[in-house]
Amino acid sequence: MKNNTNKTIAQGAEAVIYQAEQTITKDRIIKSYRIPEIDSSLRKQRTKSEARLLSEARRAGVSTPQVLEVKDTTIQM
């Protein structure tokens, strides 16, 4: 999901965080040591779960980023 207007602001073992104007995007990294089908499934599942937990915490009154969009392995906040 990275393009020329995005600026990498952090990279960890699980994901790269980009900033573009008013949004932050978290993109989960491919793990080449995993079987590709398992890697894809895990990354999608973990991304979906994280977005759901962020939204639930926000509704409960915790200060969290607002989830704007979730696509496969990417969360836009």
Side-chain angles (χ1 to χ4, degrees):
M1 185 169 232
K2 185 179 178 186
N3 63 40
N4 293 337
T5 62
N6 292 352
K7 176 185 172 194
T8 301
I9 57 174
Q11 181 169 354
E14 290 291 319
V16 179
I17 310 293
Y18 304 106
Q19 181 176 8
E21 297 184 25
Q22 298 296 318
T23 63
I24 300 291
T25 301
K26 180 176 183 178
D27 189 15
R28 291 195 183 271
I29 299 170
I30 294 172
K31 300 294 185 175
S32 59
Y33 58 83
R34 290 185 189 138
I35 296 169
E37 294 81 11
I38 292 173
D39 181 62
S40 178
S41 176
L42 281 173
R43 290 185 307 123
K44 287 177 186 178
Q45 181 182 58
R46 289 176 181 174
T47 300
K48 192 176 189 180
S49 178
E50 180 180 356
R52 181 180 43 79
L53 290 169
L54 279 168
S55 294
E56 286 178 15
R58 187 175 181 85
R59 282 192 301 273
V62 179
S63 178
T64 66
Q66 181 180 4
V67 175
L68 302 173
E69 185 175 19
V70 180
K71 286 186 180 176
D72 291 330
T73 62
T74 304
I75 301 173
Q76 187 177 37
M77 300 172 254

